[in-house]
Amino acid sequence: MAMVMAAVLSENVSLEDFMANPPDDMEWVDGQIAEKNGMTVKHSRIQSRLDYSWRSYKISSGQGGEVYTQVPCRTDRGVRRPDVAYLTPELVAQYGDVPTLPQSPPLIAEIVSPADIAEEIFLKAQEYLDSGCLEVWIVFPESRWILIMTQTQKLTFNLGSTVSTQLVLPGFSVAVDELLA
């Protein structure tokens, strides 16, 4: 998610070509391919914990679907790779084998890196919401809080509280301390 640190690598690849064969750790935004970087050890640990939590819950609750990390997805500005994403069983059946999802997953988590700029983080979350996503979790590892954005609300959770999904993966909740401590 570190847009400031992203190095532009090429402007000569079409969106269609990128979507057909998306390179690892790359995003296509506003006509340019940029490397997605800024992942720290803490970032990776939180990504793994969130992936495990959502995956375990979707299995134990019987809701099905799939949880992905760094899955390429189409937005209104290009192709992004959210840190963690959940697809419903219906979307998995429809799009489970495409190289790039043609829309944003309904539930996305982005983990903020130290180099990220606040305005860009919120614009990226809105980009997901404008492209089919119903709920975005923005995870702040250093300040140790989580912001959930939907089209109609913004909720914050900090240490000592329990964060829950709002619209997607009904019934999921986890202690913020478990994800961020």
Side-chain angles (χ1 to χ4, degrees), residues 21-32:
N21 190 20
D24 291 342
D25 298 325
M26 302 288 175
E27 294 184 328
W28 192 99
V29 181
D30 295 334
Q32 299 181 339

Side-chain angles (χ1 to χ4, degrees), residues 31-51:
Q32 299 181 339
I33 296 176
E35 187 173 3
K36 185 176 178 183
N37 54 25
M39 186 176 279
T40 64
V41 171
K42 186 183 285 187
H43 182 285
S44 182
R45 182 178 67 236
I46 293 167
Q47 182 181 27
S48 177
R49 286 178 181 174
L50 195 50
D51 170 53

Side-chain angles (χ1 to χ4, degrees), residues 8 10 14 18 33 36 38 45 53 62 85 92 95 100 115 117 125 143 157 165 179:
V8 174
S10 173
S14 72
F18 187 91
I33 296 176
K36 185 176 178 183
R45 182 178 67 236
S53 296
V92 171
Y95 301 122
T100 300
I117 295 174
S143 54
F157 301 86
T165 49
L179 291 177

Side-chain angles (χ1 to χ4, degrees), residues 74-93:
R74 179 80 167 92
T75 69
D76 60 351
R77 291 181 59 199
V79 175
R80 296 288 195 171
R81 289 184 173 272
D83 291 318
V84 186
Y86 168 76
L87 262 67
T88 62
E90 298 78 20
L91 289 173
V92 171

Side-chain angles (χ1 to χ4, degrees), residues 113 154 166 171:
S113 300
K154 290 159 189 64
Q166 302 301 301

Side-chain angles (χ1 to χ4, degrees), residues 3-21:
M3 297 294 294
V4 163
M5 305 270 307
V8 174
L9 301 176
S10 173
E11 297 179 23
N12 299 322
V13 176
S14 72
L15 175 59
E16 293 74 24
D17 288 343
F18 187 91
M19 287 179 65
N21 190 20

Side-chain angles (χ1 to χ4, degrees), residues 66-132:
E66 284 294 334
V67 180
Y68 299 87
T69 58
Q70 304 294 325
V71 66
C73 68
R74 179 80 167 92
T75 69
D76 60 351
R77 291 181 59 199
V79 175
R80 296 288 195 171
R81 289 184 173 272
D83 291 318
V84 186
Y86 168 76
L87 262 67
T88 62
E90 298 78 20
L91 289 173
V92 171
Q94 189 173 5
Y95 301 122
D97 293 328
V98 298
T100 300
L101 296 171
Q103 67 181 58
S104 292
L107 177 61
I108 287 175
E110 282 289 353
I111 302 160
V112 177
S113 300
D116 285 331
I117 295 174
E119 186 70 14
E120 289 175 355
I121 294 163
F122 295 115
L123 288 172
K124 189 173 189 179
Q126 191 60 53
E127 179 182 339
Y128 287 134
L129 292 170
D130 291 343
S131 304

